[in-house]
Amino acid sequence: MTVPSGSSPEKDTQTAPQRPSSARTGVSRLRARAAKRAQLSAEARSERAVVETAQQEQARPSGPLGFLAHLNLKPLWFLAAFAAFGLVFLIPVDPAAEGGLTAPGRTALAILAFAVVMWITEAVSYSVSAVMIIGLTALFLGFGPGIEDPTEPMGTSAALGQALGGFSSSAVALVAAALALAAAMQATGLHKRLALLVLRFAGEKTSNIVIGAIVISIILAFFVPSATARAGAVVPILLGMVAAFGLSVNSRLGALLIITAAQAVSIWNVGIKTAAAQNLVAVGFIESEMGIDIPWGQWFLWAAPWSVVMSVALFFIMRWAIRPETERIEGGRAAVTAQLAELGPVTAKEKRLIAVAVVLLLAWATEGVLHPVDSSTITLVAIGFMLLPRVGVFSWKTVESLVNWGTLIVFAVGISLGSLLLSTGAAAWLSNLVFGSLGLSSMPLLATIALMSVFTILIHLGFASATALASALIPVFIAFAATLPGAADGGFGFVVIQQFVISFGFLLPISAPQNMLAYGTGAFTAKQFLKTGIPLTVLGYLLVLLFSATYWKWVGLV
């Protein structure tokens, strides 16, 4: 057989048939689509896992948080709340006297007494107490004289509108959007990735890890508007590092790291307007009652320097208060690296969330400087984008599962109650009764700030929620500020400084939800927490006075 020139039988048998280029392109596209579907499926499974974990946490019975709730006397406290309501409701009214207590004002004070007992003892949950406050307001205010026209009953419909008025506040919209933003961080795991990256950079020296825990809290405070979510991101990682070294959870090293994380969260609740819900309560009251808007950047200018100084002090206080078993966590970096590997590469959703968070932060910081859009609108627009299909970050079903809607109800009802205290004159009457009789309004402003800050710190011992505390105190502080002679803008700066003090959650594990989350790990005792909390509270108080006399005066706050 003749073989054609330039070929051989062997070569012909070894040459595989070549696919057309169009076929190869089609296969590549199919593989790319399959990889994309697999990635989306993995992200969906991860999001479902986060939702299931959150649902399990919500279903798990939680212990009492309040100052007196641990005594398990809930039926007694429940009756005590109604008894407090009844006693205040019997106070005689004197609407004819200047600054006298009116009937609607007495009703508002009775509801406040009921709320304070409920919030301190936690006879029922905060959400249930909020619903009960709505009912009491609608009934007792509705059947009593009207606020504007005392000769006519107000009517339950108008009273219910007053009870629900807080839901129309822009501050409530901002809190809802902030909770959704925290849920986005939780759903994607981005907050955990940020924490792991910082700790990997910190290394294995105990001092560096303490610094890393503080830095994580600072970074997350900008992007995660939930103190509990920030603590929830950091605490498990720190516990993993302790376990990697072979120490028990309740070791001195564990106590050092976990308390540091919780206290750092509280410090930066002061420094950033959107870091905590109680700040937004105060902002809402100040805007509605004093007519003063507080941009995000303005709050940061006032409060961040205080938080920076406190963060530096936190490091030295923690190193003094708790001496760990070791000055180096061998295997800590490996444990962090392993957890990062479990997270895998940065997902498309995380990248989009990073972009949204950075734009959101820039928009917050430049509010009132480069644009006129308020923080609430900015955040709601961002959440709307993140909920869009395909280009968004998470689904509405995930938002429903991860957002604590009870917090939103408590927040809105707190604003309604505060507004009721102010509109009925009850806040002014109570302020004059408690503070006016002591002559505080005639004292120098610095002395007034000093005494009122002590009052705020002490009363915080009875509250597990700074949001509830702000709802009860800020209206009274606004009424009292109006009596301060020579105070700029109706005592606006005094109210803001007291809001800073309301966020002090340093003393006890029950002083803040993030403290209770950390305490629930068993890493430390209440005595260890108090050992760090006392110097932090004293230093924070002294810094408030120093800043009031210097920096805050220079920048025009006081």
Side-chain angles (χ1 to χ4, degrees):
M1 180 178 68
T2 303
V3 179
S5 176
S7 66
S8 66
E10 292 82 10
K11 186 174 182 179
D12 288 341
T13 58
Q14 293 175 1
T15 301
Q18 299 293 319
R19 292 180 179 175
S21 60
S22 59
R24 289 198 302 272
T25 302
V27 171
S28 298
R29 287 176 178 171
L30 288 173
R31 288 176 177 170
R33 290 174 183 171
K36 181 67 173 177
R37 284 195 297 270
Q39 180 185 0
L40 293 175
S41 178
E43 291 178 358
R45 285 195 301 271
S46 176
E47 190 171 316
R48 283 197 299 270
V50 170
V51 171
E52 289 171 3
T53 301
Q55 290 172 340
Q56 291 171 2
E57 290 291 330
Q58 292 170 7
R60 184 181 304 165
S62 58
L65 300 181
F67 184 59
L68 300 173
H70 67 285
L71 297 177
N72 293 322
L73 299 174
K74 287 190 174 182
L76 180 60
W77 301 134
F78 188 82
L79 294 175
F82 280 99
F85 176 90
L87 287 173
V88 176
F89 199 73
L90 294 176
I91 295 176
V93 298
D94 188 11
E98 184 179 354
L101 183 63
T102 63
R106 181 181 60 183
T107 301
L109 286 177
I111 296 170
L112 175 65
F114 171 86
V116 168
V117 175
M118 282 290 188
W119 290 337
I120 290 177
T121 64
E122 292 188 66
V124 295
S125 69
Y126 282 97
S127 305
V128 173
S129 66
V131 176
M132 295 177 71
I133 289 169
I134 293 174
L136 286 174
T137 303
L139 287 175
F140 284 87
L141 195 65
F143 285 109
I147 298 174
E148 300 296 334
D149 184 5
T151 62
E152 293 290 335
M154 187 171 185
T156 55
S157 179
L160 182 61
Q162 181 82 34
L164 298 176
F167 286 90
S168 64
S169 169
S170 62
V172 174
L174 180 56
V175 169
L179 291 173
L181 180 60
M185 289 282 180
Q186 189 177 351
T188 60
L190 179 58
H191 62 335
K192 183 177 180 180
R193 188 185 297 277
L194 290 172
L196 288 168
L197 288 171
V198 172
L199 286 176
R200 186 174 68 176
F201 180 78
E204 297 183 338
K205 286 185 64 177
T206 301
S207 292
N208 290 347
I209 295 172
V210 171
I211 294 173
I214 297 171
V215 171
I216 292 167
S217 297
I218 296 173
I219 293 173
L220 292 182
F222 285 92
F223 302 105
V224 184
S226 167
T228 308
R230 297 199 299 275
V234 181
V235 166
I237 298 170
L238 295 175
L239 289 176
M241 297 184 74
V242 173
F245 189 70
L247 293 174
S248 62
V249 170
N250 61 351
S251 62
R252 293 194 304 275
L253 178 63
L256 171 65
L257 297 180
I258 303 306
I259 294 176
T260 298
Q263 300 286 33
V265 168
S266 293
I267 287 172
W268 281 90
N269 279 351
V270 177
I272 296 177
K273 172 184 168 181
T274 51
Q278 62 264 24
N279 296 342
L280 306 181
V281 169
V283 168
F285 283 133
I286 290 170
E287 289 180 356
S288 62
E289 302 300 328
M290 306 183 82
I292 300 174
D293 178 49
I294 306 177
W296 189 94
Q298 187 68 67
W299 184 291
F300 187 78
L301 176 67
W302 294 332
W306 181 93
S307 293
V308 169
V309 176
M310 284 293 291
S311 297
V312 174
L314 174 63
F315 171 79
F316 292 103
I317 289 172
M318 294 305 304
R319 296 297 280 141
W320 162 80
I322 301 177
R323 306 281 181 171
E325 294 85 350
T326 178
E327 290 299 327
R328 189 175 185 86
I329 304 180
E330 299 292 345
R333 189 191 293 269
V336 170
T337 302
Q339 291 186 60
L340 272 172
E342 288 179 8
L343 290 179
V346 180
T347 65
K349 286 185 176 181
E350 287 179 89
K351 292 177 181 177
R352 291 196 292 271
L353 181 55
I354 291 171
V356 171
V358 170
V359 171
L360 193 56
L361 181 62
L362 291 174
W364 283 340
T366 55
E367 176 192 350
V369 179
L370 298 181
H371 62 83
V373 187
D374 63 279
S375 300
S376 301
T377 303
I378 292 168
T379 314
L380 284 171
V381 169
I383 298 302
F385 173 80
M386 289 192 290
L387 286 169
L388 291 175
R390 300 183 68 85
V391 298
V393 173
F394 56 175
S395 65
W396 179 252
K397 184 177 181 181
T398 301
V399 176
E400 286 181 322
S401 301
L402 295 183
V403 169
N404 185 344
W405 299 104
T407 298
L408 198 63
I409 294 173
V410 173
F411 184 92
V413 171
I415 289 181
S416 297
L417 178 56
S419 299
L420 180 63
L421 289 167
L422 289 163
S423 63
T424 59
W429 182 87
L430 183 62
S431 170
N432 183 61
L433 178 69
V434 177
F435 305 128
S437 59
L438 299 176
L440 292 183
S441 59
S442 61
M443 293 182 179
L445 183 58
L446 185 61
T448 304
I449 291 172
L451 291 174
M452 293 294 283
S453 296
V454 171
F455 168 80
T456 303
I457 290 169
L458 291 177
I459 201 170
H460 195 172
L461 294 174
F463 281 79
S465 168
T467 303
L469 182 61
S471 299
L473 289 185
I474 291 298
V476 180
F477 288 154
I478 289 175
F480 174 71
T483 67
L484 295 175
D489 297 317
F492 157 74
F494 166 81
V495 178
V496 173
I497 290 171
Q498 290 309 305
Q499 174 54 37
F500 295 162
V501 180
I502 283 174
S503 291
F504 281 26
F506 309 128
L507 279 174
L508 298 171
I510 60 168
S511 296
Q514 65 269 17
N515 297 353
M516 287 303 299
L517 184 150
Y519 185 64
T521 64
F524 57 87
T525 64
K527 183 178 179 181
Q528 286 175 311
F529 197 89
L530 187 62
K531 186 178 180 181
T532 67
I534 290 175
L536 279 172
T537 301
V538 171
L539 179 62
Y541 171 75
L542 293 176
L543 281 175
V544 163
L545 300 185
L546 177 62
F547 275 53
S548 297
T550 56
Y551 176 71
W552 289 333
K553 183 176 290 186
W554 300 336
V555 297
L557 179 60
V558 294

